[in-house]
Amino acid sequence: MKIISTEQIASGQKVMIRSSLNVSLSENGQVADELRLVRMLDTIQLVHGAGGIPILISHIKNDQGSTLQPVVDWFNNRGFKSELVANYFPYNESIDLSDSDTLYIFENLRDYPGEKANNLEFALALSNYADLYVNESFDSAHREHASIVSLPNLLPAYAGLNFAAEVEQLSKVFTPDRPFTFIIGGAKIETKAPLITKLLDLADKVFVGGALANPLLQASGQEVGKSLLPDQPIDVSNIVNHPILSLPVDFIDQDKQVITLDEVAADSNLLDIGPDSVKALELLIAESDLVIWNGPLGYFEGGYDVATNAIAECLAKTDSYTIVGGGDTLAALGSETESKINWISTGGGAMLDFIESNGELPAISVLN
Ligand code: ADP
Ligand code: MG
């Protein structure tokens, strides 16, 4: 994978950067989560520094509509001269992208069906606007969309600085410093089961908490009461019997009472892991050289956040190398804690797919 550097950019060249501008917005329509924007500033600066003209392309999907104008405003509030470019497909030669002081942002790629359909004509039109391609959208790296897998075949293509750093950091799972502990929580066992299976091969210990633990506990014969379970039962027999799997031993129920495995009743809702489970996890973290965490350990946004906060704090303090990712996980973290984690992954679902696929995501293959 070639990484973008100043040597590859001649002055005046247009550099199309596939970006992650798909941020969440606050109620007043402003950028609410700027992590992915902040993490691409180095690449934008590199392009500007070499005299290149950055053109950002991205999708956005959120409740407030589908325009990238709030992102344009965000850049302008940070001292950029940013401009939204619309109606760029079919190719329109009258669109002027020649001002090297401007940060051009193409309007939502998904306004055009060709993006998700991976349409070659759409990719060709995009390629006509630029001299180079940079992928700085690691969180989209698992998607076979036109701007991710076709466009880089039409231009000299490079990984952006954050993209390359994500690959380097997350590749630690394949040749980890040991002991290596993976903590996985959240929900959606349907999507995370194959990943857990993979992790059982890679790690020395896999702790499963949050709602993700419920179907595993149930499969091992444990009562889980009214706790969150997948709509369709799924086969997790290869997971529950694995020797390096670790599951919670106590919980916080709907009445905020601590209950042990034996005390779970038919009307219990296991909304957080309990203090003994947290203690066991803290010991595990202290013994590990590498700890990776994805997925909250409880229903944190509903106030069942004690375990999630405790583990966040523990990871912030430990000497072990720490990597944390996941949209909801980062939302639970807070910036103070975030700054003490060795690597915060912007990858979301792509982080999990990266591990599951041995690092062979579509966006990476095309850059190689
Ligand atoms: P991430 O986005 O970090 O990958 P997920 O999307 O998989 O995480 O899951 C996050 C969701 O799981 C949150 O809404 C959280 O409240 C929920 N969750 C975690 N544990 C529980 C639980 N014990 N009961 C109900 N919901 C839970
Ligand atoms: Mg999520």
Side-chain angles (χ1 to χ4, degrees):
M1 198 169 67
K2 285 176 287 178
I3 304 169
I4 193 68
S5 68
T6 47
E7 289 93 79
Q8 279 121 8
I9 306 168
S11 182
Q13 278 192 320
K14 298 185 182 95
V15 184
M16 190 162 259
I17 308 175
R18 183 32 165 117
S19 311
S20 291
L21 312 181
N22 48 323
V23 291
S24 53
L25 301 176
S26 62
E27 268 169 35
N28 60 7
Q30 288 181 336
V31 172
D33 170 21
E34 57 182 23
L35 175 70
R36 287 171 178 168
L37 304 183
V38 171
R39 289 276 285 272
M40 71 170 305
L41 292 176
D42 286 346
T43 291
I44 294 175
Q45 260 146 31
L46 182 145
V47 172
H48 270 147
I53 304 172
I55 304 167
L56 311 192
I57 57 170
S58 174
H59 70 279
I60 184 164
K61 189 170 186 273
N62 54 61
D63 299 339
Q64 281 85 17
S66 60
T67 174
L68 283 167
Q69 186 61 48
V71 177
V72 171
D73 297 340
W74 185 90
F75 277 106
N76 283 333
N77 288 335
R78 292 184 78 102
F80 287 87
K81 193 174 124 200
S82 179
E83 191 180 291
L84 196 64
V85 178
N87 302 320
Y88 50 84
F89 182 76
Y91 177 69
N92 179 352
E93 62 182 355
S94 69
I95 293 177
D96 178 16
L97 303 167
S98 62
D99 179 13
S100 60
D101 292 332
T102 298
L103 179 66
Y104 296 102
I105 300 184
F106 275 27
E107 185 56 290
N108 190 3
L109 286 168
R110 293 192 187 166
D111 282 350
Y112 303 96
E115 166 63 357
K116 278 180 120 175
N118 190 15
N119 176 284
L120 187 60
E121 239 178 287
F122 183 63
L124 271 166
L126 289 173
S127 74
N128 281 332
Y129 294 103
D131 303 299
L132 301 173
Y133 170 90
V134 172
N135 192 333
E136 193 55 298
S137 183
F138 183 75
D139 64 289
S140 305
H142 54 325
R143 308 232 180 261
E144 298 200 32
H145 296 169
S147 66
I148 306 288
V149 293
S150 287
L151 183 56
N153 282 326
L154 302 169
L155 292 168
Y158 303 90
L161 301 178
N162 183 63
F163 190 107
E166 290 276 7
V167 170
E168 187 191 333
Q169 292 287 334
L170 297 178
S171 292
K172 290 184 197 290
V173 302
F174 305 122
T175 51
D177 288 338
R178 297 187 183 276
F180 164 33
T181 296
F182 204 106
I183 305 167
I184 184 159
K188 292 175 291 191
I189 189 77
E190 315 82 286
T191 56
K192 290 187 180 177
L195 172 72
I196 296 172
T197 306
K198 175 88 196 171
L199 291 171
L200 291 168
D201 271 347
L202 295 171
D204 297 295
K205 202 60 141 182
V206 178
F207 181 93
V208 181
L212 216 53
N214 299 336
L216 304 185
L217 290 163
Q218 191 184 47
S220 63
Q222 170 65 42
E223 169 76 67
V224 294
K226 292 183 172 151
S227 306
L228 187 64
L229 286 167
D231 297 337
Q232 302 290 325
I234 75 155
D235 180 15
V236 289
S237 50
N238 64 324
I239 297 175
V240 281
N241 296 319
H242 202 285
I244 69 158
L245 176 75
S246 180
L247 289 170
V249 292
D250 61 347
F251 308 89
I252 308 293
D253 72 4
Q254 68 284 358
D255 302 320
K256 299 226 165 169
Q257 297 300 308
V258 176
I259 54 171
T260 61
L261 283 170
D262 304 337
E263 291 164 344
V264 180
D267 65 345
S268 297
N269 191 352
L270 309 177
L271 291 168
D272 199 0
I273 65 169
D276 283 349
S277 307
V278 170
K279 223 172 281 164
L281 203 40
E282 285 170 344
L283 283 175
L284 206 55
I285 291 168
E287 287 167 0
S288 299
D289 278 0
L290 172 64
V291 185
I292 306 185
W293 178 30
N294 169 275
L297 297 170
Y299 174 46
F300 73 98
E301 68 272 43
Y304 296 83
D305 58 0
V306 174
T308 298
N309 290 341
I311 294 311
E313 206 163 301
C314 179
L315 288 182
K317 285 191 186 138
T318 183
D319 293 333
S320 324
Y321 196 88
T322 50
I323 298 178
V324 179
D328 291 288
T329 314
L330 298 185
L333 228 56
S335 54
E336 169 87 23
T337 310
E338 258 181 38
S339 67
K340 294 179 185 149
I341 303 295
N342 293 99
W343 183 253
I344 295 286
S345 177
T346 59
M351 167 182 169
L352 307 180
D353 280 15
F354 178 86
I355 298 168
E356 204 184 312
S357 71
N358 285 318
E360 285 169 18
L361 296 178
I364 296 171
S365 308
V366 71
L367 290 177
N368 277 334

